[in-house]
Amino acid sequence: MATIRIAAPDTASAGEVIELKALIQHPMETGYRSGPDGKRIERDIIEKFEVTYDGETVFEADLQPGIAANPIFTFYTRATASGPIVFKWTDQDGESWSETHDLTVE
Amino acid sequence: MKTPSRHTALARRSFLQLGAAGIAAAALPLQAAADAADADAAIREIFGDKPLNEGRVSVKLPPIAENGNSVAITVAAESLMSPDDYVRRIAIFSPRNPIAEVALFKLGPRAGKAEISTRIRMAGTQRIRAVAEMSDGTLWHGSASTVVTLAACLIG
């Protein structure tokens, strides 16, 4: 189970642009490194990060090995209605992790 | 104990830099490092053949990064982010990493602000490029360079 950290406001006023910050613990192994035995370490990366809010995808990222280990993203969205913001990561083998943050819009 | 004079300290530093450059030069041929042409090709593959306009996109990077494994980057595009004038996509490209494309972000009018921060790997000193595609289909380009003293891919 990967450790996930989300930083987002709990409440916002309607129309306000809020900052969302999401981090997941993951090696983002590039496939270009060699281990102590001299063998190439297999590529193991998260390929997709998707954020849905108020029934719509509000942010999407396609990741390459050029993204550092433990990928962190800071981005913005406009607060529209109270509801869950769902952060979802999917790796190259289709395994996924997600975390939900509840936002109350006043 | 005697503190090294300024001259020898400088000499040591340049020696260390030479050493790091030597390691980088020795290790690079093992990998297919991208070059400027690859970054251009990656941009064309994602965004098509439309002209790249300079401006409206800013890339923030530290001037010097000690460790290329994790370099903080912020990419921002100037846009009203209104329902009919917004940023559709933003992508980051490296002319020197093994793969030119670093990440592709899809935004929409609901983002409110077209700004993304993350951490990237840098296989050496280079000028990182970012391209934003607006809702009217135009492409905008910005870049920033960082001097990397210890490149990613070579070490842990």
Side-chain angles (χ1 to χ4, degrees), chain B residues 64-89:
Chain B
I64 295 180
E66 276 186 20
N67 186 345
N69 276 309
S70 180
V71 185
I73 181 170
T74 299
V75 178
E78 280 171 38
S79 167
L80 293 173
M81 295 310 272
S82 68
D84 24 69
D85 182 6
Y86 59 91
V87 178
R88 223 183 271 159
R89 297 188 291 173

Side-chain angles (χ1 to χ4, degrees), chain B residues 2 6 9 11 48 57 67 81 86 90 99 129 133 142 144 147:
Chain B
K2 178 180 153 234
R6 188 175 160 73
V57 176
N67 186 345
M81 295 310 272
Y86 59 91
I90 294 179
I99 298 176
R129 307 169 67 185
E133 181 189 52
V147 172

Side-chain angles (χ1 to χ4, degrees), chain B residues 121-139:
Chain B
R121 292 191 167 106
M122 289 176 75
T125 298
Q126 56 185 303
R127 177 162 280 272
I128 295 288
R129 307 169 67 185
V131 175
E133 181 189 52
M134 304 296 172
S135 50
D136 61 5
T138 54
L139 301 180

Side-chain angles (χ1 to χ4, degrees), chain A residues 39-82:
Chain A
K39 279 204 201 117
R40 190 157 276 216
I41 304 171
E42 290 267 319
R43 172 164 158 160
D44 175 17
I45 68 162
I46 286 178
E47 285 187 333
K48 197 138 203 107
F49 171 55
E50 204 178 348
V51 181
T52 54
Y53 163 51
D54 193 17
E56 239 183 88
T57 299
V58 291
F59 184 79
E60 217 180 319
D62 294 339
L63 318 185
Q64 300 288 339
I67 292 290
N70 306 325
I72 179 165
F73 295 103
T74 307
F75 51 98
Y76 298 85
T77 195
R78 199 181 290 278
T80 47
S82 295

Side-chain angles (χ1 to χ4, degrees), chain A residues 6 21 61 72 91 106:
Chain A
I6 305 288
K21 203 176 266 197
I72 179 165
D91 77 3
E106 291 154 342

